[in-house]
Each structure stands twice: as structure tokens, then as C-alpha cells.
Amino acid sequence: MNLKQRYQKVLTNIIDTKKRFSRVNDNVQLLAVSKKHSAQSIRTIYELGQHAFGENYVQEALDKQQELKDCQIDWHFIGPIQSNKTKQIAEHFNWVHSISREKIALRLNEARVGKTSKLNVLIQVNINQESTKEGIPISKLESFCQFITKLPNLNLRGFMAIPEASTDFDTQKNNFAVLHQQFLKHKEQYQLDTLSIGMSNDYQAAISEGSTLIRIGTDIFGERN
Ligand SMILES: *Cc1c(COP(=O)(O)O)cnc(C)c1O
């Protein structure tokens, strides 16, 4: 399959999965994760109607944004955030999925002063308490929501997670269920609308557990080098 065919196949799978889990009328957006793939590949699926792209590395993303400045792309930053990169991230992205430290939130808020729109942010949660992964524990979620909500240039939209790797559907689903419950619990109070869960290997399980935004790289663009 070529890039266009893989992209179409993912779109079809999303529709089928929504049917299978009775979510036909729910909004499940696709974020195309383009890290390590070329601006030309992005343009190919942009022309098929894909407008939301996710990137993990600031310099790589800025180079591609430069090449694609004629496109109306919604750029999402989804990788770990170094504090010396917060200014560039706040200036060049519409969304940030990977906020898990107060210091980073403060710096992004500061760097967004004077912009016409707020920066949409998601709190990254470390569901399985893995030391190798970013994210706050569930126990700190409430206080972190309160902290972010007070920052005037950030718009808290919801939560993001990367659970421990598993190929078993039920294990995947149980992990996502933990965050889904938290999302439902906090949704109204903080006016959340985005649950960013699901990648190439587990997006069916994520859709079954309330995902509103799946982040797909490999299934669209192929293996990364
Ligand atoms: C790379 C990445 C993805 C995409 O992963 P695939 O398995 O290639 O679909 C999704 N989310 C995050 C945070 C990533 O870093």
C-alpha cells in the first residue's frame, strides 16, 4: 500500500471501529503523527483533507512548518518538552499534549502572551506509573487541572496518555478505562472536550474507551527510521 491507501485505510478503520463500539455520532478526530517523515508526505495527505498533524521534535517540526507555510495545518506538539524549547512551542503550535510539570505550563503561558488565541493544552497522565514515561500520576490530576486553569493564555482541553505497551485488547482497554473515568469525572467542571488516547497499535481499544483524538503515525506513514 502507498501513503494515500494507508491513510484511507485508517479512516475506514476509524468508521468501522466507531460502529463496532456504538460511537457513530461521536467525534473521534485523527491526528496524523508525522515525526521523522517528510514535509512532502505531510503535504500528500493534507491534500486528501487531513489538517491536524503531530510532531515530537521542535527543530524538525519548525523546518517542516517552513516548507508547508502555504497549508492551513493545525500543529500539535506531542513529545517531551524541554524548558528551553517552550517559547518556540508556544509560538508555533496550536496544541500541546504533553504537559506534566508546573514549570513548563508557566513558561508556555508566559510565551503565549499577546497571541490572538490561547494555547490548547492537554495534561499528560502516566497511567501505569512507568518511570521511563512522562506524565503525572492520577492522584495529582485534580490539583494540576486547577493550576492550569488559572493560567490565562492556556486553554485546558483534556488529558493525554501513552499506556504501557500491550498487544492484548482487554489490557489496552483496562488501561484506557482508568483515564476515561477521570475524564468523565472532570469533564464538566473544567469544560474538557478532548481525550487523546490511542496510537497505531491500540486505537481500537482507545475508541472503545471514549477517545476523542487518536494519534496515528506508523499506520499512516509507515515505519520510522
Ligand atoms: C510517535 C507517537 C505516536 C504515534 O505512534 P505510532 O505507534 O507510530 O502510531 C503517538 N503519540 C505519541 C505521543 C508519539 O510520540
Side-chain angles (χ1 to χ4, degrees):
M1 281 197 289
N2 64 27
L3 178 53
K4 285 185 184 184
Q5 290 165 328
R6 283 194 303 264
Y7 175 67
Q8 303 288 7
K9 183 160 178 246
V10 170
L11 292 182
T12 310
N13 283 346
I14 294 170
I15 292 169
D16 292 346
T17 308
K18 284 172 68 175
K19 280 195 196 127
R20 185 167 148 219
F21 297 107
S22 309
R23 297 202 55 206
V24 175
N25 296 319
D26 294 350
N27 186 18
V28 180
Q29 275 196 62
L30 172 59
L31 181 68
V33 176
S34 45
K35 61 168 177 256
K36 310 255 175 136
H37 292 284
S38 67
Q40 188 49 50
S41 298
I42 294 176
R43 189 179 291 278
T44 300
I45 63 165
Y46 174 82
E47 285 166 359
L48 298 176
Q50 178 65 33
H51 284 196
F53 289 87
E55 289 281 342
N56 293 55
Y57 310 103
V58 176
Q59 193 52 54
E60 178 190 330
L62 297 192
D63 290 344
K64 291 182 216 173
Q65 289 178 359
Q66 192 60 28
E67 275 189 65
L68 296 161
K69 37 175 206 290
D70 57 309
C71 303
Q72 301 295 314
I73 291 178
D74 250 339
W75 291 102
H76 293 231
F77 191 81
I78 63 174
I81 304 172
Q82 292 168 289
S83 53
N84 63 354
K85 298 281 165 60
T86 46
K87 189 167 187 294
Q88 287 169 308
I89 292 171
E91 285 176 359
H92 296 279
F93 289 83
N94 313 94
W95 286 76
V96 177
H97 290 223
S98 40
I99 297 196
S100 58
R101 286 189 285 151
E102 291 187 357
K103 179 185 166 193
I104 295 293
L106 286 168
R107 290 180 67 108
L108 289 170
N109 178 65
E110 193 62 27
R112 195 78 179 185
V113 172
K115 291 265 168 187
T116 49
S117 63
K118 295 185 184 195
L119 183 62
N120 296 302
V121 301
L122 304 175
I123 296 172
Q124 183 170 351
V125 179
N126 194 338
I127 297 180
N128 305 100
Q129 288 145 35
E130 293 169 278
S131 59
T132 53
K133 278 186 189 145
E134 304 278 321
I136 61 162
I138 297 276
S139 58
K140 302 227 172 91
L141 196 48
E142 171 77 47
S143 63
F144 205 47
C145 283
Q146 279 173 23
F147 181 83
I148 302 242
T149 307
K150 290 192 191 108
L151 302 176
N153 306 308
L154 303 187
N155 186 8
L156 179 62
R157 300 290 294 268
F159 308 143
M160 179 274 233
I162 311 168
E164 67 185 356
S166 167
T167 52
D168 176 58
F169 182 89
D170 292 329
T171 306
Q172 294 172 351
K173 185 174 166 69
N174 291 338
N175 282 327
F176 288 136
V178 174
L179 194 62
H180 187 205
Q181 281 164 20
Q182 293 297 317
F183 181 68
L184 295 175
K185 182 171 153 193
H186 295 293
K187 194 172 186 243
E188 269 174 41
Q189 183 183 359
Y190 296 104
Q191 296 180 336
L192 308 179
D193 62 7
T194 305
L195 182 57
S196 169
I197 48 174
M199 308 179 15
S200 292
N201 289 326
D202 58 12
Y203 70 90
Q204 281 93 349
I207 290 174
S208 82
E209 276 298 337
S211 177
T212 71
L213 183 59
I214 57 172
R215 310 179 307 267
I216 308 295
T218 309
D219 275 9
I220 297 174
F221 296 102
E223 293 291 338
R224 289 179 289 273
N225 296 325

